[in-house]
Amino acid sequence: MQLSSKKMEYQTLSLRSKYAKDFRKNWQLYVMVLLPVVYILIFAYMPMYGLQIAFRNYNALDGIMGSKFVGLMWFKRFFNSPWFWRYMRNTLAISVYNIALSWPLPIFLALCFNVVTNKIFKNSVQFISYLPNFISTVVLVGMVNVLFGSRTGLLGRTLEYISQGQVTNVLSSASAFRHLYVWSGIWQNVGWSTIIYMAALTSVSKDQTEAALIDGASRFQRVIHVDIPAIMPTMVIQLLLLVGSVLNVGEEKVLLMQNDLNLAASEVISTYSFKTGLLIGSGNYSFGAAIGFFNSFINLIVLLTVNKVSKKVFETSLW
Amino acid sequence: MTIKNRSKNNAFRLTRGDKLFVGSIYFMLVIIGLVLLIPMLNVIVSSFSSPKAVGAGKVTIFPIGFNIEAYKMVLANNKLVLGFTNTIIYTFFGTLLNIFITVLAAYPMSREDFAAKNIIMKFFTFTMYFSGGIIPTYLLYKNLGLVDSRLVMIIPGALSIYNMIVMRTFMQTNLPNEILEAAKIDGCNDFRFLSQFVVPLSKPIIAVIIMFYAIGHWNSYFDAYVYLSSESKYPLSIFIQTILGGLVTKGETVKNYEAAAQQEQYKDIVQYALIVVTCLPVWVCCPFMQKYFVQGVMVGSVKG
């Protein structure tokens, strides 16, 4: 009785007085969090505010608000340009290829690690698999360049040998770009990505394992019926994150791997936005911003959609 | 003790089919391990080999004609020394700022009794899923006077929301409420509680987050590429990029470098040596930090 009346009282308190009361009690927490909040406001939300130049004809003299409003002009120009579909196709091809590998492979590797009982063996393979994660993009691309150099590089030579001289100089081939981009990423991240699955696998209880053993499950059956269900929520979350960033092909690595000869396959929306906005000529800020906005907007929609679907189907979601 | 018994039990129960299965997993992991290891090994070994052997494509995983000429050249190059110095400066001050802001955000977010917690958390996490993109960001930095300033390598990215959530989750699970209540009774305010209890008790996670941030700074390239234009401010990554090649090179550094390297034939192994020199600081830390990194990622994977 007392409880419910208290609850009522709490609910009738307006939001404002709730925060006023909390501020009197916890003002020091507000002071602490002030700097991070202001920081995020400036460095994350100000650019979002600045995104309106995508709908304006921005020039530096008039500033963001003073520049002429042009509606969807830049978006139309982008959609009607002959490049739109090519860049869209390149982006999706790289991204889907990447998801198709970078989602299942860490799961597979983690399940393998989990089967291994020899600690020293397991730790050494894990250690080796983590190392590439700490290589910077610049150095990774440098490694791809030296290793796939057809004259001297180990992998370039190997490819040439295996294909009996058919495959030479993959670095300057447009058709090889996707493979190089995705597989170098896999090489770099596959080990590190196993960690969250390993964490989920530690939650497999002894009882479950023993129950499976009593039922006469083989080690393989235990992987299928005990281990995989244990990591299922993590698998769904990871897939959500990957699909939710389907158009986010990072411009840094693509720009680093790009050359005149592979441009047909390597130009993606994010690099095109960057180049249009900042590099080509003196840079068309508004057009570049519009392309970038299109990219992140589609991404957000996809993320919201898959998150909702996943909430319904798997009862797992990001938030 | 119990763990030992269990593994003995398991070993006892392994049928022939199980043995075959487990054996093939071991075999597969050996192959995967080699695939992951050989590129790194080949780079390291090539950097110590004679330029002739590397040029002829003979080096695989054993050095041929061992020498350290390439390293002498790398370390004698003024620009690389400049790059190293700049990168160390950016990494040091950047990480210092990172950890300061991250702790200030993470602790209030870990307090259950903080009424504004949820709304501020939403304010933070939204930025993980949507961003203004590179062009508006560039214009903002230009207005703030960050373009071609050393500060652009330190201030932007000072707060990674992901790292903040990892730290908050650690604080939520490792700082019992009783400590706070006891401290409150003794008249301890929140600022003092943060500095005298929270920070010391969170040392393990702070160390991990420091390493995450530091490696990020050490490896960062794109911001420098976009925002810095004077060579004296370039971090190591820019110089490396100009030497390791690619389309988007900046300035004339390549030619200068080749002049400094003098002998064209050393170009290949200098590239290999450069990769090793850049990765080495991080790889050396790795064995010691591995356990903590893994813990950090595991804390972060707890949904919250």
Side-chain angles (χ1 to χ4, degrees):
Chain A
M1 196 59 197
Q2 211 183 3
L3 250 174
S4 69
S5 73
K6 252 195 179 159
K7 207 172 159 193
M8 289 286 285
E9 195 186 277
Y10 185 74
Q11 278 170 347
T12 48
L13 272 177
S14 73
L15 269 177
R16 219 165 122 191
S17 67
K18 179 185 151 201
Y19 286 121
K21 213 172 154 190
D22 186 59
F23 187 78
R24 272 196 296 279
K25 188 170 72 113
N26 284 331
W27 66 271
Q28 291 172 330
L29 296 180
Y30 286 89
V31 173
M32 278 178 209
V33 88
L34 184 69
L35 183 64
V37 165
V38 169
Y39 176 83
I40 289 294
L41 202 62
I42 295 175
F43 285 94
Y45 283 91
M46 280 297 278
M48 291 184 207
Y49 170 80
L51 258 185
Q52 55 175 293
I53 64 168
F55 304 93
R56 292 173 186 276
N57 195 356
Y58 178 80
N59 69 69
L61 281 176
D62 297 331
I64 291 175
M65 291 304 285
S67 298
K68 197 171 155 249
F69 186 80
V70 295
L72 295 175
M73 184 181 95
W74 299 115
F75 294 92
K76 279 181 195 149
R77 181 189 280 197
F78 180 46
F79 299 146
N80 291 331
S81 89
W83 306 116
F84 174 71
W85 284 110
R86 168 183 280 189
Y87 297 158
M88 193 70 179
R89 212 169 46 228
N90 284 345
T91 309
L92 284 174
I94 293 173
S95 192
V96 171
Y97 186 6
N98 182 45
I99 294 172
L101 290 171
S102 67
W103 184 59
L105 289 181
I107 298 170
F108 173 76
L109 190 57
L111 290 171
C112 286
F113 281 150
N114 196 48
V115 168
V116 169
T117 44
N118 183 326
K119 271 236 160 103
I120 296 173
F121 177 80
K122 184 173 159 182
N123 284 344
S124 354
V125 181
Q126 277 181 322
F127 176 66
I128 291 168
S129 74
Y130 296 160
L131 281 179
N133 180 64
F134 299 108
I135 296 175
S136 69
T137 315
V138 172
V139 172
L140 177 74
V141 174
M143 278 179 79
V144 169
N145 286 343
V146 292
L147 289 172
F148 281 95
S150 60
R151 190 170 48 87
T152 59
L154 175 70
L155 300 175
R157 270 186 286 137
T158 312
L159 269 182
E160 207 173 322
Y161 179 76
I162 292 174
S163 67
Q164 292 170 327
Q166 296 292 309
V167 181
T168 54
N169 224 347
V170 282
L171 291 175
S172 50
S173 130
S175 59
F177 175 80
R178 253 162 239 163
H179 304 295
L180 282 179
Y181 181 90
V182 171
W183 281 101
S184 61
I186 297 289
W187 178 77
Q188 188 171 29
N189 297 321
V190 69
W192 192 251
S193 312
T194 61
I195 294 177
I196 45 171
Y197 293 112
M198 297 307 289
L201 280 166
T202 56
S203 72
V204 173
S205 70
K206 225 170 114 182
D207 297 348
Q208 277 171 295
T209 311
E210 262 155 25
L213 281 171
I214 288 165
D215 289 345
S218 71
R219 188 65 192 90
F220 177 69
Q221 282 169 325
R222 267 162 57 206
V223 171
I224 302 294
H225 297 292
V226 180
D227 296 349
I228 290 183
I231 58 172
M232 202 45 141
T234 317
M235 283 163 61
V236 174
I237 292 280
Q238 290 306 305
L239 187 61
L240 277 182
L241 287 171
L242 283 170
V243 174
S245 56
V246 67
L247 290 187
N248 271 357
V249 175
E251 61 267 292
E252 182 182 48
K253 192 171 160 193
V254 175
L255 282 174
L256 284 166
M257 290 183 72
Q258 242 172 22
N259 56 49
D260 289 341
L261 296 162
N262 66 22
L263 209 56
S266 66
E267 193 79 295
V268 294
I269 296 177
S270 58
T271 54
Y272 184 55
S273 157
F274 171 69
K275 287 180 184 173
T276 314
L278 298 177
L279 290 187
I280 298 168
S282 56
N284 185 338
Y285 293 135
S286 283
F287 193 20
I291 299 166
F293 181 61
F294 165 76
N295 200 5
S296 35
F297 185 70
I298 298 289
N299 250 331
L300 189 66
I301 302 288
V302 173
L303 183 73
L304 291 172
T305 315
V306 289
N307 192 49
K308 195 150 215 176
V309 170
S310 156
K311 214 174 200 169
K312 276 225 167 101
V313 180
F314 300 105
E315 291 167 350
T316 311
S317 64
L318 288 170
W319 57 80
Chain B
M1 198 59 198
T2 49
I3 292 168
K4 253 190 182 165
N5 279 338
R6 226 184 88 201
S7 65
K8 256 186 198 163
N9 264 344
N10 279 359
F12 184 67
R13 282 164 202 264
L14 282 183
T15 63
R16 243 178 98 187
D18 281 350
K19 272 183 196 160
L20 200 68
F21 172 68
V22 174
S24 59
I25 297 265
Y26 271 89
F27 178 71
M28 210 146 47
L29 283 177
V30 170
I31 303 288
I32 293 173
L34 285 177
V35 167
L36 293 171
L37 181 66
I38 285 175
M40 290 183 278
L41 205 58
N42 177 256
V43 168
I44 295 171
V45 163
S46 299
S47 72
F48 286 111
S49 296
S50 82
K52 259 198 190 130
V54 174
K58 283 182 184 152
V59 180
T60 47
I61 55 170
F62 297 106
I64 299 174
F66 184 88
N67 73 88
I68 53 166
E69 282 307 307
Y71 288 93
K72 285 185 189 157
M73 287 181 177
V74 167
L75 295 176
N77 186 297
N78 286 335
K79 288 196 172 141
L80 291 175
V81 174
L82 173 71
F84 260 113
T85 319
N86 281 337
T87 295
I88 290 170
I89 292 172
Y90 300 147
T91 302
F92 179 78
F93 288 103
T95 308
L96 207 65
L97 181 69
N98 285 143
I99 207 68
F100 180 69
I101 294 196
T102 307
V103 169
L104 281 185
Y107 175 62
M109 293 298 101
S110 76
R111 280 276 293 269
E112 285 305 322
D113 64 323
F114 183 33
K117 189 188 84 171
N118 288 334
I119 194 163
I120 296 178
M121 203 62 198
K122 280 192 185 116
F123 171 83
F124 282 146
T125 45
F126 179 70
T127 64
M128 290 173 89
Y129 302 111
F130 189 78
S131 76
I134 189 153
I135 312 295
T137 308
Y138 179 85
L139 292 177
L140 173 73
Y141 291 1
K142 215 165 114 179
N143 284 336
L144 293 174
L146 286 173
V147 172
D148 201 28
S149 150
R150 283 177 190 274
L151 288 177
V152 84
M153 299 302 292
I154 295 171
I155 294 177
L159 176 60
S160 142
I161 302 299
Y162 175 81
N163 286 347
M164 188 273 284
I165 292 176
V166 171
M167 191 181 280
R168 180 210 60 164
T169 311
F170 180 92
M171 287 170 175
Q172 275 174 340
T173 45
N174 288 279
L175 294 175
N177 246 335
E178 291 77 32
I179 307 181
L180 175 67
E181 272 153 27
K184 281 250 155 104
I185 291 166
D186 290 343
C188 179
N189 66 31
D190 286 324
F191 295 122
R192 253 188 61 199
F193 186 71
L194 178 66
S195 62
Q196 294 194 344
F197 292 92
V198 177
V199 171
L201 286 171
S202 307
K203 261 186 205 153
I205 202 68
I206 290 178
V208 173
I209 301 290
I210 284 180
M211 289 307 289
F212 278 153
Y213 277 129
I215 290 174
H217 284 289
W218 186 265
N219 287 344
S220 89
Y221 162 77
F222 198 59
D223 279 351
Y225 168 69
V226 176
Y227 300 113
L228 292 183
S229 50
S230 32
E231 205 177 69
S232 61
K233 294 167 188 163
Y234 282 172
L236 185 61
S237 55
I238 295 278
F239 293 114
I240 290 176
Q241 157 58 13
T242 54
I243 294 166
L244 293 181
L247 177 73
V248 254
T249 46
K250 266 199 152 182
E252 293 286 297
T253 335
V254 180
K255 279 180 197 156
N256 291 343
Y257 183 79
E258 282 174 14
Q262 284 167 352
Q263 289 151 296
E264 173 68 23
Q265 56 163 338
Y266 276 95
K267 213 184 101 195
D268 281 334
I269 59 166
V270 164
Q271 292 186 332
Y272 286 105
L274 199 56
I275 292 172
V276 176
V277 168
T278 321
C279 293
L280 210 62
V282 181
W283 279 349
V284 166
C285 295
C286 222
F288 307 106
M289 296 303 295
Q290 183 187 356
K291 209 176 95 195
Y292 302 101
F293 281 141
V294 172
Q295 277 170 1
V297 176
M298 284 184 175
V299 169
S301 68
V302 178
K303 202 188 145 198

